[in-house]
Amino acid sequence: MFEVYIHVPFCLRRCGYCDFNTYTATDLGAGASRGNYANMVIREMALTKQWQLDHGIEEPPVSTVFFGGGTPTILAARDLVAMLDAIRKIWSIAPDAEITTEANPDTVNEYYINELAAGGFTRVSFGMQSAVPHVLKTLDRTHTPANVAAGVNAANKAGLRSSVDLIYGAPGESLDDWRTSVTTAIDLGVNHISAYALTVEPTTKMGRQIAAGTLPKPNDDDEAAKYEIADDLFAAAGLEWYEVSNWARPGYESQHNLGYWRNVDWAGLGPGAHSHYNAVTEADHPQSASLTAPAGGGCPADAGLGVVSVSHGLRSWDIAHPRLWGTAINENRVPWADSETITPEENLEELIMLGLRLHEGLGLDRINRAINDAGMSSTPQTLRTVSVDQLAPMISEGLITVSDNHRVVPTRRGRLLNDSVIEQFFDYVGV
């Protein structure tokens, strides 16, 4: 599988809890403006495709596209469609591809959504966050529940699937407030809902308010109680959990996000976006070539590595500031800030961390193959394969179950204690 993610870094205003790579200015320099942004991303696509060709990477047609942010729908709908059309020309798109954009309910209407549908989009993810006015105010969100409902209704009429995102644990949010938000989301009739615990970063407005004592700090027990409320209400409404923070009716799971958790290849475009490739070719003379971008940021599009053998994975990330990102593109350089190879041991760790978040679970056969691969390159060789019997303590603690085909699945208790489950699994493996 091959996916494309496009980061749109523009917002109408910066929410108090947000630490994403977003900006409220309309023009950030070097061509990175709202009006010209689609053109810049399309140029990055061409540079990225050339980099792939230079490195012997041949991807299948794109299976999913996701526009995130920031606020993708702050751009004109025709700009989102233009970027999608460019993906179709540069990589091709699978006939049954899932094409999603995130949307701020304040920035879309029926005409906007109809234009997306006509342009090939299949899905809209609305940033609902809460249905309670005082919680929305604490989160610095300006939309109303009515805006969300209007957006979902417009998407339904246009034949698009809808999802809504919720955040729990905001300062001042009661259990009843949270129940109201969950039931309101369910009553919208959407087939997919994401619910994330609020993460407070110290550099955000909310982080500073909490540090100053003007807002209370989120409480772990409160967040656990809210997770259980959501899980119960979603299940009763026919929405099944398929990832720790995501619920859907069968067949409506986010295929793009599943791709991340299954560790597929994806190209990330836009300032700060990350890319991931499972197989990258070695150079004829590895000592004279580097996968790492120059210190100044950005890899030359023609900086080819020789095509010899597939040896490792690669993770890269774009330059974060839009002006510097734009400068690299204007100089015909892939706008990477840096990149790193993914060692077999790091790949093993990622397979464990990602697999233990999924309802489909972590296949022991796949993990043991990865353990053997990593063990051959591990010095000293300390890795151990895992059997069902070794997992008995975690099973007895009610953290996991193991299916007949040896897939390890976290229980609800295991989802709530996911970090602990991963750490214990790491201990068994020896990473």
Side-chain angles (χ1 to χ4, degrees):
M1 286 180 63
F2 177 54
E3 304 185 332
V4 174
Y5 170 77
I6 296 177
H7 182 70
V8 178
F10 301 104
C11 280
L12 292 172
R13 58 180 293 176
R14 191 171 182 84
C15 299
Y17 63 90
C18 178
D19 73 334
F20 294 163
N21 188 37
T22 63
Y23 306 83
T24 56
T26 59
D27 190 337
L28 295 156
S33 65
R34 291 186 194 174
N36 192 53
Y37 189 71
N39 295 326
M40 296 299 289
V41 170
I42 291 168
R43 291 173 63 188
E44 183 181 1
M45 290 179 198
L47 291 167
T48 300
K49 175 64 174 182
Q50 187 59 54
W51 179 90
Q52 291 173 345
L53 293 173
D54 289 344
H55 294 77
I57 298 173
E58 295 185 14
E59 298 288 3
V62 174
S63 56
T64 73
V65 180
F66 195 100
F67 291 78
T71 307
T73 50
I74 205 172
L75 303 181
R78 64 178 177 275
D79 287 343
L80 300 187
V81 172
M83 287 185 275
L84 181 59
D85 286 343
I87 292 172
R88 189 174 288 109
K89 293 175 183 176
I90 291 171
W91 283 290
S92 81
I93 296 178
D96 58 348
E98 175 191 88
I99 315 295
T100 305
T101 184
E102 292 181 339
N104 181 328
D106 282 342
T107 60
V108 295
N109 56 29
E110 185 174 353
Y111 303 103
Y112 191 106
I113 287 175
N114 286 342
E115 193 169 348
L116 293 181
F121 281 76
T122 65
R123 188 171 178 273
V124 183
S125 179
F126 293 97
M128 178 177 173
Q129 320 311 358
S130 175
V132 179
H134 78 86
V135 176
L136 289 171
K137 183 177 181 181
T138 298
L139 294 172
D140 279 339
R141 301 292 290 187
T142 58
H143 69 265
T144 66
N147 295 140
V148 180
V152 170
N153 289 337
N156 289 342
K157 290 179 182 178
L160 301 182
R161 293 184 176 187
S162 294
S163 173
V164 294
D165 289 353
L166 297 174
I167 292 177
Y168 58 91
E173 179 189 59
S174 68
L175 294 180
D176 284 342
D177 289 336
W178 176 238
R179 285 191 189 90
T180 296
S181 293
V182 172
T183 55
T184 301
I186 291 170
D187 289 345
L188 289 170
V190 296
N191 295 309
H192 186 285
I193 300 176
S194 302
Y196 302 103
L198 177 67
T199 300
V200 178
E201 299 294 341
T203 56
T204 62
K205 173 185 172 182
M206 180 176 285
R208 293 190 294 271
Q209 290 173 318
I210 289 173
T214 56
L215 284 178
K217 183 179 179 181
N219 178 276
D220 289 344
D221 290 339
D222 173 74
E223 290 186 344
K226 288 172 179 173
Y227 184 92
E228 292 177 332
I229 288 170
D231 198 40
D232 287 340
L233 291 173
F234 291 150
L239 296 159
E240 302 175 2
W241 81 275
Y242 70 95
E243 189 276 339
V244 168
S245 299
N246 289 271
W247 291 258
R249 299 187 196 283
Y252 288 86
E253 299 85 357
S254 167
Q255 296 305 308
H256 186 84
N257 285 338
L258 277 172
Y260 289 152
W261 296 313
R262 290 169 177 164
N263 229 17
V264 305
D265 284 13
W266 70 83
L269 307 166
H274 285 228
S275 298
H276 176 270
Y277 297 94
N278 279 300
V280 176
T281 52
E282 284 186 341
D284 287 24
H285 303 285
Q287 69 274 13
S288 65
S290 172
L291 285 169
T292 304
C299 289
D302 59 353
L305 298 178
V307 178
V308 179
S309 63
V310 172
S311 63
H312 53 255
L314 172 73
R315 181 185 297 106
S316 66
W317 48 98
D318 274 23
I319 299 165
H321 195 281
R323 178 175 57 80
L324 299 178
W325 168 84
T327 297
I329 292 172
N330 291 333
E331 295 173 354
N332 290 318
R333 293 184 288 128
V334 178
W336 289 357
D338 212 339
S339 64
E340 62 185 9
T341 58
I342 302 170
T343 67
E345 187 163 320
E346 289 169 337
N347 179 63
L348 170 63
E349 292 174 356
E350 290 181 5
L351 289 175
I352 293 170
M353 288 189 292
L354 297 169
L356 288 174
R357 293 186 63 87
L358 292 171
H359 187 271
E360 67 187 39
L362 179 68
L364 286 184
D365 288 345
R366 183 184 183 193
I367 285 300
N368 284 331
R369 286 196 301 271
I371 288 169
N372 288 329
D373 290 343
M376 288 188 289
S377 64
S378 177
T379 306
Q381 293 185 357
T382 58
L383 299 178
R384 301 177 292 274
T385 56
V386 180
S387 68
V388 175
D389 290 343
Q390 288 172 303
L391 300 176
M394 294 176 71
I395 296 171
S396 65
E397 290 177 45
L399 296 172
I400 61 170
T401 61
V402 181
S403 66
D404 291 340
N405 60 347
H406 292 179
R407 297 195 72 86
V408 182
V409 180
T411 62
R412 184 157 80 176
R413 173 176 163 79
R415 284 180 272 155
L416 287 167
L417 299 173
N418 196 247
D419 289 345
S420 175
V421 170
I422 292 168
E423 288 173 8
Q424 288 190 53
F425 209 96
F426 280 174
D427 288 341
Y428 289 132
V429 171
V431 294

